[in-house]
């Protein structure tokens, strides 16, 4: 059976290619089915009879031979056209295959590029991750370090505040101590000035008193010497008289013995020899009477001598008494001077204490003074202790400050390093962003190209779907990375803000540190100044000054000098005692001998009288000489004074080594005050000028240097001084 | 391997006072000899502190120093002695020429509580030797005393100290406008020590103007001194030195 096919439209040859393209997929599928299915000639199918339903169709499908031929021709035409179309389609297919290959190649290329860019992205992301991790680590480390530094800074700040407070307290206490020290120093200066003035005045008075005492002592010594001479003379006389007394006593005894014999003889001779020798008896009696008278006169002389010796003893006793009185007077004078000195010192001290009581606040009576001074001293000592402690703390804080500064420098360097690193990271980020942007641009371009390629070819959906899924995955990953990059950027910006804040804080802390360092230096200078003041005060204390409130100075009473003097005096007294004892014994012997009865020879009485007259004449001559000498010496002194212009006072002294020297005091008649005196010492032909207040003046000392030391001429010096003082007097 | 062990002896107040007062006696003798206060022939050589020292044979001076050191020891034991000053004066004018200042600081803890300290004998001896050598060497820079001089000893005590009958209160015998010279300083472990002071010296030059040279050692507190030593020694009865001697430089 021939399948009756509907008549096909007659197609134009030009439109065949176009129609091919216009065919719908269903039509294309039908054509393909038709092409695939073989042409079956429709014949009546014997089976159709059996199938009455199919007969209608066969009737419909029956055509004539012509129709068959026509159909054949049409079929052949269609077949040729189909073959043409096929060829066209094949060529198109080939071209499309070529295009597909090209597109595949290009797709592969793009895929490779994509993979490369993905790899680059992954690498960049890895690097970014690593950098971010490193950054995070560094940021965390720097944060930790900053936190630590901030903690340390805060601790140091607290310490600094404490030290500043302590320093303020110490400064205030040091200032108050300084003020007190200044006040005390002023008082000390005033006290020292007043003591020096008093000392000078006392020295002058002592010098004057010494001179007066020396003059009095010299006078007394002269008197003593005179008395001693008299006493020695009297002793010698008494010895002589004693010897004479002894002789006379012996003679007396002999006379008595003779007298007794004579009396015996007289008694024996009275009876028998009355007639014989009356004249002899008369002469004997007369002789004896004369002798008796002589003896009586000698006894009277002896008694007078005895009275003289008693007087001598009395005088000696008086001498010793006067010596004792003189010594007592001298000792009392010394004591008086010491008492006066101590009195004046006490008065001065009282005045000073009164002034101190008035000036120092918080004191109502003198008992409060030592307490106040002790308190002040304690305060000073405490303040010095505090100053020492503060200086030690200052040193510790300096050390801590130095450590903090070092730490600050370290942190600054680290901050600079982190800054640099952050800058590098930012640069890196920017670069990555640029690469990302470039990669995203590339991606977009690729995407557009892929879309265009998709549009051009709706073939191979599976590979394209894969590519699209890959691209979508890449895009999704890119989007994620972009989000993470943005987050990191946000974090970086936050950290930058934190770093900038910390940097500002560090700058503030460094400014504070610098201020504190300056304050520390100023405090160090003050501490050095206080230490120098302390050393000065310590040197003053070391000089020997002491606080009378807490300290007293003691010394042994019986010093070696006193012991020596006492020993000397004891020895001298012992020798004098021995001498007086010897004299007493001698006088007692004399007394014993003179009590019996004295026979004095006429020669001895004459000798005595002669000696006495000689003594009297010598004494008179001595007194005359003295008066004449005094007159002459006064005339001589007045003449010297008028001729040379100086009042000269002569005084004898004895040096500690026992050498006697003569001291001359010269006062110019043109002197304007009593203090202008020159002192010279004369010893065995050498004259030396002595130092005193007047000679130590600059002008006088200069003249002494020139005339005395260099030119060795004291007269030239005195003459020059006279001329200068005369000029001053006349000018004034 | 043998190691050197540092032996330390216990130091108490009583022994310290005895040793310090004894040292003052020897130091005073050394000063008297070196300054020529007494003639050389009146001194005899003795061995003490490992050094040949000179002691006066004058009975009066001996007795004086003995009584003095006994009293000083008593005051040291009570912790009442602050300073001892040896003053050299001119015999003729009684003017103070030199002033040797020995300052003392007693550890109040030891005085009040009776605690003890430790120090080795060798170190003690070494310190004393150094001080005695310094006294002897001071004559190299001090001028000679041309005139005849006498000496006296002043004791600076607390105000509440009872004055013995052989002692009287005195003025400090200061020198006006002195020049100060400081010698070596020593610090002590337990803070009691003498301060050796060099003399205050007054000299007349050719034009008879007084030139005052005051050489004075002063003590420093522990924080200001560098070399500070004790010289306690061990006594047979267990009492040891508590005071230290040091010089200031």
């Amino acid at each position: 059976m021939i399948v009756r096919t509907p008549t096909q439209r007659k197609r134009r040859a030009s439109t065949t290619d176009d129609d091919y393209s216009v065919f719908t997929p269903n039509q294309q599928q039908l054509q393909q089915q038709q092409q695939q299915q073989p042409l079956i000639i429709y014949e009546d199918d014997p089976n159709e009879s059996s199938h009455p339903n199919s007969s209608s169709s066969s009737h419909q499908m029956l055509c004539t031979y012509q129709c068959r031929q026509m159909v054949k021709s049409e079929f052949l035409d269609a077949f040729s056209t189909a073959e043409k179309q096929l060829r066209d389609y094949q060529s198109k297919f080939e071209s499309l295959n070529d295009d597909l290959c090209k597109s595949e190649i290009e797709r592969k290329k793009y895929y490779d590029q994509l993979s490369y860019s993905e790899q680059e992205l992954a690498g960049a992301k890895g690097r970014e991750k690593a950098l971010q991790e490193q950054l995070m680590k560094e940021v965390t480390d720097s944060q930790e370090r900053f936190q630590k530094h901030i903690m340390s800074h805060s601790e140091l700040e607290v310490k600094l505040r404490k030290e500043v407070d302590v320093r303020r307290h110490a400064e205030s206490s040091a200032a108050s101590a300084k003020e007190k020290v200044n006040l005390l120093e002023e008082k000390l200066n005033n006290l020292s000035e007043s003591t020096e003035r008093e000392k000078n005045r006392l020295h002058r008075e002592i010098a004057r008193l010494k001179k007066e005492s020396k003059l009095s002592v010299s006078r007394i010594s002269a008197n003593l010497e005179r008395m001693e001479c008299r006493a020695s003379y009297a002793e010698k006389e008494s010895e002589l008289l004693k010897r004479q007394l002894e002789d006379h006593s012996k003679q007396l005894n002999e006379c008595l013995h003779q007298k007794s014999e004579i009396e015996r003889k007289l008694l024996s001779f009275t009876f028998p020899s009355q007639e014989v020798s009356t004249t002899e008896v008369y002469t004997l009696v007369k002789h004896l009477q004369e002798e008796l008278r002589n003896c009586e006169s000698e006894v009277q002389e002896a008694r007078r001598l005895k009275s003289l010796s008693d007087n001598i003893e009395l005088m000696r006793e008086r001498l010793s008494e006067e010596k004792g009185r003189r010594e007592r007077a001298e000792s009392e004078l010394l004591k008086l001077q010491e008492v006066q000195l101590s009195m004046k010192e006490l008065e001065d001290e009282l005045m000073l204490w009164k002034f101190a009581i008035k000036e120092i606040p918080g004191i109502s009576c003198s008992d409060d003074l030592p307490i106040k001074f002790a308190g002040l001293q304690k305060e000073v000592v405490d303040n010095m202790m505090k100053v020492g402690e503060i200086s030690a703390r200052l040193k510790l804080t300096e050390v801590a400050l130095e450590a903090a500064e070092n730490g600050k420098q370290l942190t600054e360097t680290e901050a600079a390093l982190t800054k640099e690193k952050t800058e590098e990271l930012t640069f890196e980020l920017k670069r990555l962003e640029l690469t990302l942007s470039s990669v995203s641009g590339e991606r977009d371009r690729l995407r557009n190209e892929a879309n265009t390629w998709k549009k051009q070819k709706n073939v191979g959906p599976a590979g394209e779907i894969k590519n699209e899924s890959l691209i979508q995955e890449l895009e999704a990953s890119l989007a994620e990375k972009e989000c993470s990059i943005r987050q990191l950027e946000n974090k970086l910006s936050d950290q930058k803000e934190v770093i900038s804040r910390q940097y500002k804080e560090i700058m503030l802390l460094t400014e504070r540190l610098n201020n504190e360092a300056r304050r520390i230096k100023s405090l160090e200078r003050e501490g050095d100044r206080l230490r120098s003041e302390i050393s000065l005060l310590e040197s003053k204390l070391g000089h020997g000054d002491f606080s009378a409130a807490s300290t007293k100075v003691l010394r042994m009473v019986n010093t070696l000098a006193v012991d020596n003097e006492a020993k000397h005096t004891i020895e001298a007294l012992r020798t004098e005692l021995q001498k007086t004892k010897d004299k007493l014994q001698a006088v007692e012997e004399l007394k014993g001998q003179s009590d019996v009865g004295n026979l004095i020879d006429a020669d001895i009485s004459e000798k005595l009288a002669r000696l006495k007259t000689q003594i009297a004449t010598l004494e008179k001559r001595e007194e005359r000489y003295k008066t004449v000498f005094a007159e002459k010496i006064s005339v001589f002194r007045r003449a010297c004074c008028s001729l040379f212009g100086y009042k000269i006072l002569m005084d004898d002294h004895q040096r500690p080594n026992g050498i006697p020297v003569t001291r001359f005091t010269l006062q110019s008649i043109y002197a304007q005050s009593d203090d202008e005196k020159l002192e010279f010492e004369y010893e065995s032909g050498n004259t030396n000028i002595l130092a005193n207040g007047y000679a130590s003046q600059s002008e006088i000392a200069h003249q002494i240097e020139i005339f005395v030391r260099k030119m060795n001429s004291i007269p030239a010096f005195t003459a020059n001084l006279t001329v200068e003082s005369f000029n001053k007097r006349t000018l004034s | 391997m043998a190691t050197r062990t540092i032996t330390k002896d216990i130091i108490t107040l009583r022994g310290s006072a005895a040793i310090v007062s004894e040292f003052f006696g020897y130091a005073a003798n050394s000063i008297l000899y070196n300054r020529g206060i007494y003639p050389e022939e009146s001194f005899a050589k003795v061995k003490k502190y490992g050094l040949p020292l000179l002691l006066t044979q004058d009975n009066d001076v001996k007795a004086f120093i003995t009584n003095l050191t006994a009293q000083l020891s008593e005051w040291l034991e009570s912790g009442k002695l602050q300073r001892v000053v040896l003053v050299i004066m001119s015999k003729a004018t009684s003017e103070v020429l030199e002033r040797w200042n020995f300052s003392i600081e007693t550890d109040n803890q030891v005085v009040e509580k009776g605690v003890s300290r430790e120090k080795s004998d060798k170190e003690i001896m070494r310190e004393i030797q150094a001080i005695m050598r310094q006294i002897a060497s001071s004559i190299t820079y001090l001028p000679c005393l041309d005139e005849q001089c006498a000496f006296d000893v002043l004791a600076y005590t607390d105000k509440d100290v009872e004055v013995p009958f052989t002692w009287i209160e005195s003025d400090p015998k200061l020198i006006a406008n002195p020049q100060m010279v400081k010698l070596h300083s020593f610090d002590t472990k337990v803070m009691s020590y003498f301060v050796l002071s060099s003399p205050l010296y007054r000299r007349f030059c050719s034009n008879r103007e007084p030139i005052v040279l005051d050489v004075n050692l002063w003590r420093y507190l522990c924080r200001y001194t560098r070399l500070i030593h004790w010289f306690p020694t061990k006594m047979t009865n267990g009492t040891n030195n508590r005071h230290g001697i040091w010089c200031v430089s």
Side-chain angles (χ1 to χ4, degrees):
Chain A
M1 208 168 186
I2 301 167
V3 176
R4 188 167 183 182
T5 57
T7 58
Q8 289 184 354
R9 291 178 205 166
K10 287 185 181 176
R11 287 191 217 138
R12 291 179 189 168
S14 64
T15 61
T16 52
D17 294 331
D18 294 331
D19 289 337
Y20 176 75
S21 65
V22 176
F23 286 161
T24 61
N26 291 326
Q27 286 176 353
Q28 286 177 3
Q29 281 176 4
L30 278 169
Q31 282 180 0
Q32 281 175 3
Q33 282 173 5
Q34 282 173 4
Q35 283 172 3
Q36 282 171 6
Q37 286 174 0
L39 284 169
I40 300 165
I41 300 165
Y42 183 72
E43 292 176 346
D44 290 325
D45 194 357
N47 294 326
E48 281 183 3
S49 61
S50 62
H51 297 289
N53 293 326
S54 61
S55 63
S56 62
S57 62
S58 60
H59 289 292
Q60 286 176 357
M61 298 298 287
L62 288 169
C63 55
T64 61
Y65 183 79
Q66 284 180 350
C67 289
R68 282 190 195 159
Q69 291 292 323
M70 280 174 69
V71 168
K72 209 186 251 181
S73 65
E74 285 180 1
F75 180 76
L76 284 167
D77 291 335
F79 188 74
S80 62
T81 54
E83 280 183 356
K84 282 181 189 171
Q85 281 181 356
L86 192 92
R87 281 187 215 110
D88 292 333
Y89 285 143
Q90 276 179 356
S91 63
K92 280 181 186 175
F93 182 73
E94 284 169 3
S95 65
L96 282 169
N97 270 333
D98 293 334
D99 291 335
L100 190 85
C101 291
K102 282 179 189 172
S103 66
E104 278 183 4
I105 290 161
E106 281 181 5
R107 188 177 64 78
K108 278 180 186 174
K109 214 192 286 178
Y110 288 134
Y111 189 73
D112 291 333
Q113 281 181 0
L114 259 172
S115 64
Y116 182 69
S117 62
E118 279 176 3
Q119 283 172 7
E120 279 184 356
L121 256 173
K125 281 173 190 173
R127 268 182 265 131
E128 195 184 335
K129 268 187 187 176
L131 283 168
Q132 281 171 5
E133 283 170 8
Q134 200 180 358
L135 230 175
M136 287 303 290
K137 275 182 194 174
E138 284 171 0
V139 165
T140 50
D141 291 338
S142 63
Q143 272 183 350
E144 284 170 7
R145 266 182 259 130
F146 279 132
Q147 281 171 3
K148 281 178 192 171
H149 284 300
I150 287 160
M151 291 284 284
S152 64
H153 278 302
S154 61
E155 285 170 7
L156 283 169
E157 273 183 10
V158 167
K159 279 182 189 175
L160 268 167
R161 275 175 213 147
K162 282 180 191 172
E163 290 301 320
V164 162
D165 293 333
V166 167
R167 204 178 298 136
R168 273 181 213 150
H169 285 301
E171 280 172 6
S172 61
S173 59
S176 62
K178 273 184 222 171
E179 288 172 3
K180 286 171 189 170
V181 160
N182 289 330
L183 283 167
L184 286 168
E185 278 181 3
E186 284 173 8
K187 280 172 194 167
L188 265 168
N189 290 331
N190 294 332
L191 280 168
S192 61
E193 283 170 11
S194 62
T195 50
E196 280 179 11
R197 271 183 258 129
E198 282 299 321
K199 269 185 194 173
N200 291 331
R201 191 176 61 79
L202 287 165
H203 280 306
R204 274 182 252 131
E205 281 189 18
I206 286 161
R208 188 178 58 79
L209 285 167
K210 274 183 183 173
K211 282 177 188 170
E212 284 174 6
S213 64
K214 278 173 189 169
L215 285 167
S216 63
V217 161
S218 63
R219 245 183 281 128
I220 291 162
S221 61
N223 288 333
L224 266 170
E225 283 172 8
R226 225 184 301 137
M227 296 298 281
E228 281 175 4
C229 290
R230 281 187 190 172
S232 62
Y233 287 139
E235 279 178 16
K236 284 173 188 170
E237 277 184 19
S238 67
E239 282 170 9
L240 281 167
L241 288 167
K242 277 175 195 169
R243 277 186 227 134
Q244 285 175 4
L245 263 169
E246 285 172 7
D247 296 332
H248 287 310
S249 63
K250 280 178 193 172
Q251 285 177 7
L252 209 147
N253 288 329
E254 287 175 6
C255 290
L256 281 168
H257 184 68
Q258 283 176 9
K259 187 184 166 187
S260 63
E261 282 179 4
I262 288 160
E263 280 176 357
R264 257 190 273 119
K265 277 180 186 176
L266 273 169
L267 283 168
S268 64
F269 283 141
T270 47
F271 293 102
S273 62
Q274 278 180 1
E275 297 174 352
V276 176
S277 59
T278 50
T279 54
E280 288 179 0
V281 168
Y282 277 128
T283 54
L284 266 170
V285 165
K286 278 182 188 173
H287 185 66
L288 285 167
Q289 281 175 356
E290 284 176 5
E291 283 184 5
L292 267 168
R293 276 185 227 125
N294 289 331
C295 289
E296 282 174 6
S297 65
E298 283 175 1
V299 162
Q300 283 174 4
E301 283 290 332
R303 279 179 191 157
R304 200 169 59 76
L305 283 168
K306 188 185 164 188
S307 67
L308 274 173
S309 67
D310 292 336
N311 289 335
I312 286 160
E313 284 175 10
L314 281 167
M315 279 172 70
R316 272 190 213 147
E317 285 174 6
R318 279 181 196 168
L319 245 175
S320 61
E321 282 176 10
E322 278 182 8
K323 274 184 189 173
R325 275 184 207 162
R326 180 177 67 87
E327 285 167 6
R328 265 181 267 134
E330 282 176 1
S331 63
E332 278 174 7
L333 264 171
L334 288 167
K335 281 180 190 172
L336 212 158
Q337 287 173 5
E338 286 173 8
V339 163
Q340 281 175 353
L341 281 167
S342 61
M343 254 177 60
K344 278 170 187 169
E345 281 174 9
L346 286 166
E347 284 176 2
D348 293 334
E349 274 188 33
L350 267 169
M351 292 297 291
L352 285 167
W353 286 120
K354 280 178 185 172
F355 281 131
I357 286 162
K358 281 177 191 171
E359 287 173 5
I360 296 168
I363 291 171
S364 58
C365 63
S366 60
D367 294 332
D368 296 336
L369 268 172
I371 299 161
K372 186 77 179 175
F373 275 126
L376 283 169
Q377 281 173 355
K378 277 179 191 172
E379 280 181 19
V380 167
V381 167
D382 291 336
N383 288 330
M384 296 316 301
M385 296 275 283
K386 281 179 189 173
V387 163
E389 286 173 5
I390 287 158
S391 62
R393 276 188 210 166
L394 273 169
K395 283 181 184 171
L396 287 170
T397 52
E398 279 173 10
V399 169
L401 272 166
E402 284 177 6
E405 282 179 4
N406 291 331
K408 187 193 73 157
Q409 286 173 1
L410 279 169
T411 53
E412 281 177 355
T413 53
E414 282 171 4
L417 283 168
T418 51
K419 265 189 192 176
E420 288 173 3
K421 281 178 186 173
T422 51
E423 284 173 1
E424 283 173 8
L425 285 169
T426 51
F427 285 133
E428 194 68 33
L429 275 168
K430 282 176 185 172
R431 195 178 64 76
L432 286 168
E433 282 172 359
L434 286 169
T435 52
L436 267 171
S437 63
S438 65
V439 164
S440 61
E442 277 287 326
R443 178 180 49 85
D444 293 332
R445 195 174 63 75
L446 283 167
R447 205 183 279 170
N448 293 326
E449 283 181 3
N451 287 329
T452 52
W453 185 73
K454 273 180 194 173
K455 280 176 184 173
Q456 282 178 3
K457 182 181 176 181
N458 290 324
V459 182
E464 291 175 358
I465 288 162
K466 277 185 190 174
N467 286 333
E468 283 179 2
S469 65
L470 274 170
I471 287 161
Q472 283 173 3
E473 282 173 9
L474 285 170
E475 284 177 359
S477 65
L478 269 170
E480 284 175 6
K481 298 298 175 191
E482 279 177 2
C483 290
S484 65
I485 284 161
R486 278 186 211 123
Q487 284 174 3
L488 287 168
E489 281 176 357
N490 292 328
K491 279 184 188 175
L492 266 171
S493 63
D494 293 334
Q495 281 172 5
K496 275 182 188 174
E497 285 175 6
V498 167
I499 286 162
S500 65
R501 255 185 283 125
Q502 284 175 353
Y503 186 71
K504 282 175 189 173
E505 285 177 6
I506 286 163
M507 292 302 288
L508 284 167
L509 284 169
T510 50
E511 281 178 12
R512 279 186 200 171
L513 275 168
N514 290 331
N515 292 333
E516 291 302 321
R518 270 183 244 124
R519 275 186 206 171
I520 285 160
K521 279 177 187 171
S522 65
L523 281 169
E524 275 179 356
R525 275 183 249 120
E526 281 184 22
D528 291 334
R529 194 170 56 77
L530 284 169
R531 263 181 241 132
S532 64
E533 284 181 13
I534 288 161
S535 64
L536 274 169
L537 287 168
E538 282 180 346
S539 67
K540 280 182 184 174
L541 283 169
H543 165 241
D545 298 331
F546 62 98
S547 167
S550 64
T551 310
K552 59 184 174 186
V553 182
L554 304 172
R555 67 177 184 84
M556 285 185 83
V557 172
N558 295 325
T559 57
L560 285 168
V562 172
D563 284 340
N564 284 333
E565 284 175 10
K567 277 187 182 174
H568 286 312
T569 53
I570 287 162
E571 282 174 10
L573 286 167
R574 274 185 192 157
T575 51
E576 279 187 30
L577 244 175
Q578 194 64 39
K579 280 180 191 172
T580 49
K581 275 183 184 173
D582 295 335
K583 284 171 189 171
L584 266 169
Q585 278 177 3
V587 168
E588 278 172 5
E589 284 172 9
L590 267 173
K591 269 187 187 175
Q593 286 172 2
S594 63
D595 286 337
V596 176
N598 298 321
L599 274 172
I600 301 166
D601 198 8
D603 295 333
I604 292 163
S605 64
E606 286 174 6
K607 282 180 190 175
L608 273 171
R610 254 188 278 127
L611 285 169
K612 283 170 196 170
T613 52
Q614 279 179 6
I615 285 163
T617 51
L618 284 168
E619 280 178 355
K620 283 176 190 170
R621 206 182 287 175
E622 191 185 344
E623 284 178 9
R624 244 185 293 127
Y625 284 151
K626 278 183 184 175
T627 50
V628 167
F629 182 72
E631 287 172 9
K632 293 285 181 189
I633 201 74
S634 65
V635 166
F636 182 71
R637 278 185 183 165
R638 271 183 261 130
C640 284
C641 181
S642 60
L643 285 168
F644 298 110
Y646 285 97
K647 287 178 201 170
I648 301 168
L649 290 169
M650 195 170 86
D651 206 354
D652 287 324
H653 286 268
Q654 202 174 33
R655 280 197 189 146
N657 51 10
I659 298 169
V661 292
T662 310
R663 198 168 279 188
F664 293 93
T665 306
L666 272 66
Q667 189 178 15
S668 174
I669 56 176
Y670 302 114
Q672 295 176 347
S673 67
D674 289 335
D675 295 334
E676 294 180 9
K677 286 180 185 173
L678 296 167
E679 288 176 1
F680 295 89
E681 206 174 66
Y682 180 83
E683 183 224 331
S684 61
N686 295 323
T687 310
N688 297 316
I689 188 165
L690 298 176
N692 60 2
Y694 180 61
S696 60
Q697 288 178 12
S698 59
E699 294 174 357
I700 309 298
H702 183 63
Q703 289 180 31
I704 289 168
E705 184 67 31
I706 292 166
F707 289 109
V708 179
R709 309 287 178 218
K710 286 184 185 174
M711 296 183 188
N712 197 23
S713 171
I714 291 171
F717 164 66
T718 53
N720 189 45
L721 192 64
T722 306
V723 168
E724 283 189 3
S725 49
F726 172 73
N727 289 331
K728 277 183 195 172
R729 254 289 176 83
T730 51
L731 281 169
S732 62
Chain B
M1 187 176 75
T3 57
R4 186 185 287 181
T5 55
I6 298 167
T7 55
K8 291 193 175 182
D9 300 305
I10 296 166
I11 303 154
T12 62
L13 181 64
R14 195 174 173 190
S16 169
I19 294 296
V20 166
S21 55
E22 187 188 38
F23 165 78
F24 178 75
Y26 281 98
N29 272 284
S30 183
I31 290 165
L32 292 175
Y33 173 77
N34 284 309
R35 302 306 294 137
I37 308 300
Y38 291 95
E40 290 181 15
E41 49 270 15
S42 67
F43 286 87
K45 215 177 257 189
V46 297
K47 193 91 174 182
K48 186 72 180 177
Y49 308 122
L51 292 171
L53 299 176
L54 289 147
L55 281 184
T56 182
Q57 300 302 303
D58 190 331
N59 292 324
D60 296 328
V61 180
K62 254 191 198 175
F64 177 78
I65 291 173
T66 307
N67 294 330
L68 179 77
T69 51
Q71 186 60 54
L72 292 180
S73 178
E74 198 181 311
W75 281 331
L76 282 167
E77 282 180 27
S78 64
K80 299 285 184 186
L81 190 62
Q82 297 176 9
R83 218 187 300 183
V84 180
V85 179
L86 191 139
V87 179
I88 295 173
M89 306 170 291
S90 167
K91 246 189 186 175
T93 59
S94 298
E95 188 185 357
V96 179
L97 302 179
E98 294 184 0
R99 218 167 172 279
W100 292 75
N101 191 6
F102 295 72
S103 287
I104 300 156
E105 254 192 41
T106 309
D107 190 353
N108 290 325
Q109 199 181 19
V110 175
V111 176
E112 288 163 9
K113 296 177 186 174
V115 296
S116 59
R117 300 282 185 261
E118 289 184 358
K119 184 104 178 181
S120 69
D121 286 342
K122 276 188 182 176
E123 203 172 342
I124 294 157
M125 198 68 74
R126 193 169 51 82
E127 287 158 6
I128 294 172
Q129 283 175 8
I131 293 158
M132 298 305 284
R133 285 194 185 105
Q134 280 192 324
I135 293 170
S137 66
S138 65
I139 61 167
T140 55
Y141 56 83
L142 292 174
C144 297
L145 294 168
D146 296 325
E147 50 192 320
Q148 220 172 8
C149 297
F151 81 99
D152 200 355
V153 178
L154 306 175
Y156 286 62
T157 62
D158 292 349
K159 200 74 178 172
D160 58 348
V161 159
E162 196 181 325
V163 182
F165 68 94
T166 52
W167 288 73
I168 52 167
E169 287 203 34
S170 165
D171 67 305
K173 297 188 191 294
L174 300 176
I175 291 181
N177 301 319
Q179 288 185 16
M180 316 281 278
V181 171
K182 297 180 181 181
L183 302 184
H184 282 294
S185 67
F186 292 88
D187 194 357
T188 62
K189 238 195 243 182
V190 190
M191 296 180 290
S192 283
Y193 33 72
F194 273 153
V195 175
L196 280 173
S197 82
S198 223
L200 303 170
Y201 188 72
R202 188 184 168 114
R203 185 181 182 181
F204 284 88
C205 67
S206 59
N207 61 355
R208 296 295 181 179
E209 282 182 358
I211 295 170
V212 179
L213 171 68
D214 178 7
V215 181
N216 189 6
L217 288 177
W218 186 239
R219 64 173 174 85
Y220 286 103
L221 297 172
C222 352
R223 66 185 71 193
Y224 297 121
T225 51
R226 287 192 295 273
L227 299 173
I228 296 170
H229 300 279
W230 282 97
F231 62 100
T233 56
K234 189 178 179 181
M235 302 286 278
T236 52
N237 60 354
T239 57
N240 293 330
N241 191 357
R242 272 289 295 112
H243 300 282
I245 291 182
W246 53 274
C247 302
V248 173
S249 67

